[in-house]
Amino acid sequence: MSLMVVVRLWCLIGTLLITTRLIIGTRHPLVRDSFPIKWRMIAEDRSLHPVNMTALRVMQDLEAAMFQVRVEINKHTIQVYRDTTMVYEKQGVTPQGSPGHAGVHVVVLEAAGGGGGHALLSRHFLTHQPAEHRNLASCLLSLMPGRVLVVAAVPDAVTFLGQEAVQELEVMGSSMIRNLATFEAWAMVATTPTSPAVPSALHTSTVANLSSDAYVLSTNHHRPQLSTNNEQMWRGRVWAEAAAIIHTPDSFVSGPLHLHTHVPSTQGVWCSWHEDPTMQEQRDFCNTYDGYRTLCSCSLPLTPSLRHSAPEIKMNEVIPVAMLTAVKPFNFYRQLVNLLGTPGAAQTPILVLVDGPNTEIIRLARLFGLEVLVHQPQGEPGSATLLNMHFRFSVHNVFNYFPEVDKAIILEDDLLLSPDFLSFFQQTAWLLDADPTIFCVNAFSVNSYPEVAHDPTVLRRLDMFPQFGWMVTRRWARDQYQAWIPEEETADWDWWLFSQHSLQAGRHALVPEIGRTFHAGAAGAHVTGWAQEHMFSHMIYNHDPNVKLKGLEDLTLERYEAKFKREILEAEDLKDVLHPCSRPFLPQDKAGPFRLFVLSETQSDEYDSYYIMQICLHGYSDDSREKYNGVVRFNLEGRVLYIIGCPASPYCTLFPEGIAIIKPSPELVQSAEDDLLKWQTRNYPPYYLQRSVGRYPAQEFLMENLVYNYWNGTLVYM
């Protein structure tokens, strides 16, 4: 039977049905005989029925008790609306040409009616890069119960969306996120679940004892372990969830996503301590912002008394801490709780220096009784100038604010601190007075990796710039203020200090073998998610609050030079090193120390000689740093190795002609870098998901038509 015959047959059947209905059906009294058949049908079905006033009143009452949430995602923009007010928008293109809104967006709204256009929290996580999924999981853990949560994933958001983040999104109620593929969009509107509060006893102890691979928990939020029977009751209540999946195998980006839903208006979060007049400022803060569960919890919240609760330590002099921050209050709060719980914090003045009038950070700092200075930002957002000028302002003004002190500690906001952070600086401060050739003390070491750092009691003199938590004197700050990197320069301030423009020629930094800070940021202006995952996430930092530094008297220039030279002369030569990446690298039957000579004409490492040793032994992999007179010192599980660059190092002249010098070939460097990549990416999610053509409709409906694309190139089809 032809298609035309089928169409005509259905038309004939439809006409007969209409005619039959007109003949035998019940006529509406307001439908006139003069109406054409088409209009009679419309009138019967829709137009002229009387309004059900009872139902109308019920609907109006329901709408009055609800508000609308709308999420719009397209190729260039994500927008979130509460009723008709836009509460969040992200758009644009990055300098690399990728969409500026790529990643996962988290927006939290007050559940009470009349919330207006205020978002309690809005954050953007670049989960198309590694490392950011940990910060996303930490953010979700920090949310108060009973909030309206909007989460949206822009295409390419799930490439590095690790299991920590996926599990937390499922706790919030998502049923789709685990099966979302790359280049697809997704959004969910939910109410955050109620879960047991975190005891305040954790506040002052947990952060400093975290391992480097668990810094997602650095805000002291812990998801309770739930039994199967209780698991569902702790999940969020989902009001709407949608995904725009790719339907064709040759398509690389899903279509736009439009999600509209209504959410019931409920009472705002209320706790019994809200009635305490002495905690009104804290209550107002918690009603204005989210992401501070330990501060705003109804059960045992943190209070401003934390400022004076840290154990006391021996203080040789007053050394204030300058906390530098700008636009990331979540980083600032994480570090603030960490710092205030560190032994010695109650005895230490703290000054907060904000780059721009960030109200949330200012209110948070003053809640804990901290003084705040606000810097008028200089430079474009994301530029090196912005950060350069804020450091200049902060280093200068911490000494202006505390005119009686001689030293200060400079602290960036994306760091976690060891429990002996303040004790470390108190033990070393006298060296800045005793030896003018020492210009700063660093808390951070770029070679603080478990494979090459072993002893937390060891401090070294190094050719190094200040980095990630450092102490300087008033004199250095005054002199360097005039020689600071000019505003028009595009380089970073730390490299400028390390260059020929600096006043540091012939002077050294003191750097611990095992760091006292851990870099816990990601996808920032200077440290991308790739850099965080490949270099910083694998580092270690000290967890012992009672470390007594050894050999401090030997760090003055003459004594250090004599001791260093003696140790190199007494070290045993490593012979027959065929490949620096071979294991075991050191002789198993000897205690060392050992020495190895590599080719280097200058300190710039033009032959990649230091570099090849660092990446083979799993030290810092970006470039060669932390040298003293052309020597890199590593501690391999208690056995010291000196890597001496010749002829760059003056120690090369101590040895006769004919010593074995390693000169890496390009092939050796490439082979080592291949091995390095495997080590750097060992914590990557094992695969990312792609969408395949569904074998049957239900598979596509359930979003199960997936391809598991493993990083080694293996494809596994569902």
Side-chain angles (χ1 to χ4, degrees):
M1 184 181 293
S2 69
L3 178 61
M4 185 61 71
V5 172
V6 172
V7 171
R8 288 179 177 176
L9 179 59
W10 276 112
C11 290
L12 177 59
I13 293 172
T15 303
L16 290 173
L17 290 174
I18 292 172
T19 305
T20 303
R21 180 178 178 183
L22 289 175
I23 294 173
I24 65 175
T26 302
R27 291 277 304 277
H28 192 286
L30 298 180
V31 177
R32 301 291 185 262
D33 292 337
S34 59
F35 288 0
I37 291 177
K38 174 183 176 182
W39 291 104
R40 288 185 193 180
M41 293 302 300
I42 293 175
E44 288 282 357
D45 291 342
R46 283 174 277 175
S47 300
L48 297 178
H49 288 285
V51 172
N52 185 328
M53 297 303 295
T54 302
L56 180 62
R57 282 192 294 270
V58 170
M59 291 298 297
Q60 290 173 339
D61 291 342
L62 286 174
E63 288 183 2
M66 306 180 82
F67 59 89
Q68 185 187 71
V69 177
R70 181 159 54 97
V71 182
E72 306 284 350
I73 302 175
N74 59 41
K75 185 176 180 179
H76 304 289
T77 308
I78 176 174
Q79 297 173 333
V80 178
Y81 291 84
R82 178 179 178 139
D83 293 326
T84 59
T85 303
M86 184 192 299
V87 295
Y88 181 78
E89 181 180 33
K90 184 72 75 169
Q91 59 182 342
V93 178
T94 67
Q96 293 75 31
S98 59
H101 65 325
V104 174
H105 303 258
V106 177
V107 180
V108 177
L109 306 174
E110 176 58 70
H118 175 65
L120 303 179
L121 176 145
S122 57
R123 291 182 62 178
H124 179 198
F125 300 91
L126 306 186
T127 52
H128 54 289
Q129 300 180 10
E132 269 282 76
H133 67 280
R134 300 187 187 100
N135 292 325
L136 170 58
S138 183
C139 173
L140 295 172
L141 280 163
S142 73
L143 302 180
M144 287 291 287
R147 304 288 200 193
V148 176
L149 171 67
V150 182
V151 192
V154 174
D156 213 14
V158 299
T159 307
F160 289 99
L161 193 65
Q163 287 303 302
E164 301 100 319
V166 170
Q167 290 169 4
E168 288 306 318
L169 288 168
E170 289 180 332
V171 168
M172 294 298 154
S174 174
S175 61
M176 296 181 177
I177 191 64
R178 189 171 292 274
N179 288 354
L180 191 69
T182 53
F183 308 117
E184 297 180 341
W186 164 85
M188 176 181 73
V189 179
T191 299
T192 55
T194 302
S195 60
V198 180
S200 59
L202 293 172
H203 296 156
T204 60
S205 61
T206 304
V207 171
N209 293 288
L210 293 171
S211 62
S212 60
D213 59 352
Y215 68 89
V216 62
L217 300 178
S218 56
T219 46
N220 295 328
H221 304 297
H222 300 267
R223 179 66 60 199
Q225 296 297 318
L226 304 174
S227 66
T228 304
N229 294 334
N230 291 332
E231 185 174 357
Q232 189 62 33
M233 67 181 291
W234 299 120
R235 288 173 65 89
R237 171 68 182 272
V238 176
W239 303 106
E241 184 177 13
I245 69 172
I246 298 173
H247 291 276
T248 57
D250 58 346
S251 177
F252 294 100
V253 180
S254 64
L257 185 146
H258 311 280
L259 183 148
H260 299 188
T261 188
H262 283 84
V263 178
S265 298
T266 62
Q267 283 282 346
V269 176
W270 182 88
C271 305
S272 59
W273 61 264
H274 288 180
E275 297 182 351
D276 186 344
T278 64
M279 300 183 70
Q280 180 178 348
E281 186 178 1
Q282 185 167 340
R283 179 197 66 197
D284 292 344
F285 180 88
C286 292
N287 287 336
T288 307
Y289 305 104
D290 205 348
Y292 302 95
R293 187 166 187 139
T294 53
L295 181 68
C296 302
S297 171
C298 289
S299 175
L300 300 175
L302 273 177
T303 66
S305 63
L306 181 65
R307 174 67 182 96
H308 307 288
S309 65
E312 292 190 357
I313 62 174
K314 180 183 178 181
M315 286 283 181
N316 300 313
E317 61 180 294
V318 176
I319 307 175
V321 173
M323 297 183 70
L324 280 63
T325 187
V327 296
K328 295 183 177 180
F330 37 90
N331 276 0
F332 173 73
Y333 176 68
R334 176 181 65 186
Q335 186 181 86
L336 177 62
V337 174
N338 191 176
L339 176 61
L340 295 183
T342 301
Q347 306 155 267
T348 301
I350 299 174
L351 179 65
V352 179
L353 299 114
V354 189
D355 199 24
N358 188 302
T359 304
E360 186 172 348
I361 293 176
I362 294 171
R363 289 181 61 178
L364 189 58
R366 290 178 175 168
L367 182 64
F368 285 90
L370 303 180
E371 296 297 326
V372 180
L373 290 183
V374 179
H375 174 224
Q376 179 63 43
Q378 300 167 257
E380 296 298 320
S383 69
T385 298
L386 196 69
L387 198 60
N388 293 343
M389 294 300 104
H390 185 44
F391 268 92
R392 183 175 186 258
F393 169 86
S394 300
V395 172
H396 181 65
N397 280 288
V398 66
F399 288 104
N400 286 342
Y401 196 84
F402 300 106
E404 72 285 358
V405 305
D406 183 59
K407 301 174 187 70
I409 299 167
I410 311 300
L411 190 59
E412 299 97 313
D413 66 3
D414 52 4
L415 306 174
L416 302 182
L417 314 179
S418 293
D420 70 333
F421 176 77
L422 295 173
S423 172
F424 171 81
F425 286 116
Q426 284 291 329
Q427 292 183 63
T428 55
W430 69 271
L431 285 161
L432 292 176
D433 299 323
D435 188 346
T437 63
I438 301 172
F439 77 94
C440 87
V441 179
N442 271 3
F444 182 83
S445 167
V446 297
N447 281 310
S448 186
Y449 290 94
E451 291 85 349
V452 295
H454 182 73
D455 191 345
T457 69
V458 171
L459 203 64
R460 304 157 297 163
R461 289 182 73 113
L462 296 173
D463 298 312
M464 191 61 187
F465 47 76
Q467 189 177 29
F468 297 154
W470 36 285
M471 176 176 63
V472 291
T473 64
R474 176 182 293 274
R475 178 178 179 180
W476 181 90
R478 182 185 64 244
D479 294 344
Q480 197 64 59
Y481 182 80
Q482 302 301 326
W484 199 263
I485 181 171
E487 187 171 353
E488 63 274 10
E489 287 285 342
T490 58
D492 293 334
W493 66 273
D494 46 5
W495 280 106
W496 179 270
L497 292 183
F498 207 43
S499 70
Q500 67 272 20
H501 305 284
S502 173
L503 304 178
Q504 268 60 261
R507 305 176 73 185
H508 300 111
L510 298 182
V511 181
E513 183 174 305
I514 293 181
R516 266 47 178 193
T517 58
F518 176 82
H519 189 279
H526 292 80
V527 178
T528 66
W530 308 95
Q532 178 65 36
E533 184 65 24
H534 291 181
M535 291 182 288
F536 297 106
S537 292
H538 301 297
M539 291 181 175
I540 58 174
Y541 66 118
N542 178 53
H543 299 313
D544 182 356
N546 302 310
V547 173
K548 179 69 174 177
L549 298 173
K550 296 179 181 178
L552 295 180
E553 296 79 6
D554 291 330
L555 289 169
T556 55
L557 183 59
E558 289 185 4
R559 296 185 63 167
Y560 190 81
E561 176 64 36
K563 181 183 178 186
F564 200 75
K565 179 179 178 180
R566 183 171 63 252
E567 290 176 346
I568 289 177
L569 286 172
E570 294 174 354
E572 182 176 348
D573 286 322
L574 282 182
K575 299 177 181 178
D576 303 323
V577 178
L578 300 178
H579 195 305
C581 295
S582 62
R583 294 291 188 274
F585 183 73
L586 298 181
Q588 296 296 295
D589 57 344
K590 296 182 180 180
F594 304 94
R595 66 188 180 218
L596 183 70
F597 299 92
V598 297
L599 182 64
S600 182
E601 298 282 352
T602 67
Q603 300 288 350
S604 61
D605 195 24
E606 54 273 277
Y607 301 107
D608 289 331
S609 299
Y610 297 108
Y611 171 69
I612 191 73
M613 297 306 305
Q614 289 189 179
I615 64 176
C616 280
L617 298 176
H618 294 160
Y620 189 67
S621 58
D622 195 35
D623 52 46
S624 59
R625 300 186 191 177
E626 295 194 342
K627 293 190 284 286
Y628 178 77
N629 283 348
V631 179
V632 174
R633 177 191 180 277
F634 284 154
N635 187 337
L636 283 68
E637 298 182 349
R639 297 189 292 171
V640 174
L641 169 65
Y642 295 97
I643 302 169
I644 307 166
C646 293
S649 173
Y651 300 111
C652 296
T653 60
L654 302 176
F655 300 95
E657 295 285 341
I659 56 174
I661 298 179
I662 293 178
K663 179 184 178 182
S665 65
E667 294 76 20
L668 177 59
V669 173
Q670 184 61 57
S671 171
E673 288 180 337
D674 292 341
D675 292 339
L676 168 70
L677 186 61
K678 298 175 184 176
W679 178 75
Q680 289 178 326
T681 61
R682 65 187 186 274
N683 291 332
Y684 273 20
Y687 54 80
Y688 60 94
L689 298 177
Q690 293 180 305
R691 187 73 56 196
S692 67
V693 178
R695 288 176 290 178
Y696 44 87
Q699 187 187 41
E700 185 168 345
F701 177 78
L702 296 173
M703 298 173 63
E704 293 178 348
N705 53 321
L706 295 169
V707 179
Y708 289 74
N709 195 331
Y710 287 81
W711 295 106
N712 62 5
T714 302
L715 299 178
V716 177
Y717 289 81
M718 286 285 286

